[in-house]
Amino acid sequence: KGVGNKTGTETLNIIPSNSGMSSIINKHSESVDVEIDIIMLDEFIPATIKIELVKIDIEGFELEALLGAKEMLKMNSAVVQLELDTTSDMEKSKEIITLLRDLGYKNFYQRKRGIFYRVLRRLYIQDLQIENFELQSGKFYQAVWATK
């Protein structure tokens, strides 16, 4: 199963030589397509369960997973760790940060040179620009941690 913003099915493009790069979003020439069930975390995880950490590394489908977990994230103060693709989809990365901010996340961290840096005390967005946040276009996947 996979997680997303709606219940249904999606085609997972599995790369036999590197299964970690398999993706719903990105199609590769050597991929094998498999239909998988998609669930929403909001429907799957009971509201009575306390969630402390959410780790998402699903090759471009992070926004969809977060959209399907909005209620869970609102009700918990879970740390969220995910990877953002700022190479090919900076706008989607910005949407993810905006969504997390809307859900109450205020502190964002990145790992640089083996050390975790707090890169943002407050996220300030004006005219769709993320100020003081170190996501830079052209960087490969960037790991980001978010806390409330």
Side-chain angles (χ1 to χ4, degrees):
K1 292 190 185 231
V3 295
N5 58 335
K6 62 184 185 232
T7 301
T9 60
E10 290 282 352
T11 301
L12 178 63
N13 306 300
I14 298 174
I15 303 171
S17 63
N18 186 357
S19 62
M21 293 294 292
S22 299
S23 173
I24 290 172
I25 300 290
N26 303 315
K27 179 91 170 151
H28 297 275
S29 60
E30 62 184 85
S31 66
V32 177
D33 296 346
V34 175
E35 289 295 311
I36 61 167
D37 292 325
I38 299 294
I39 59 170
M40 293 174 54
L41 288 176
D42 283 343
E43 295 175 355
F44 184 73
I45 297 175
T48 56
I49 294 179
K50 182 179 179 182
I51 305 299
E52 295 182 6
L53 173 68
V54 177
K55 182 182 185 312
I56 303 172
D57 183 3
I58 51 179
E59 303 305 317
F61 214 61
E62 289 81 4
L63 179 60
E64 290 80 357
L66 289 170
L67 288 170
K70 283 171 48 172
E71 293 305 314
M72 180 190 76
L73 293 172
K74 279 184 201 174
M75 293 174 56
N76 291 279
S77 293
V79 172
V80 174
Q81 190 275 318
L82 54 93
E83 288 195 357
L84 301 178
D85 178 2
T86 57
T87 304
S88 62
D89 205 343
M90 185 63 149
E91 287 307 310
K92 195 170 194 179
S93 295
K94 289 180 181 181
E95 284 182 61
I96 290 169
I97 297 300
T98 300
L99 173 62
L100 288 170
R101 180 180 179 269
D102 291 346
L103 293 171
Y105 287 84
K106 297 178 178 119
N107 306 303
F108 294 83
Y109 303 83
Q110 285 179 290
R111 184 176 178 171
K112 294 183 180 180
R113 295 184 284 289
I115 301 171
F116 293 102
Y117 285 90
R118 185 173 182 171
V119 295
L120 187 62
R121 193 171 297 247
R122 280 181 336 204
L123 184 62
Y124 177 71
I125 299 176
Q126 182 177 20
D127 300 326
L128 299 177
Q129 296 295 319
I130 297 176
E131 297 184 3
N132 300 323
F133 192 67
E134 297 181 18
L135 289 180
Q136 297 175 11
S137 184
K139 298 277 184 183
F140 195 57
Y141 288 96
Q142 297 185 38
V144 173
W145 287 259
T147 63
K148 291 186 176 182

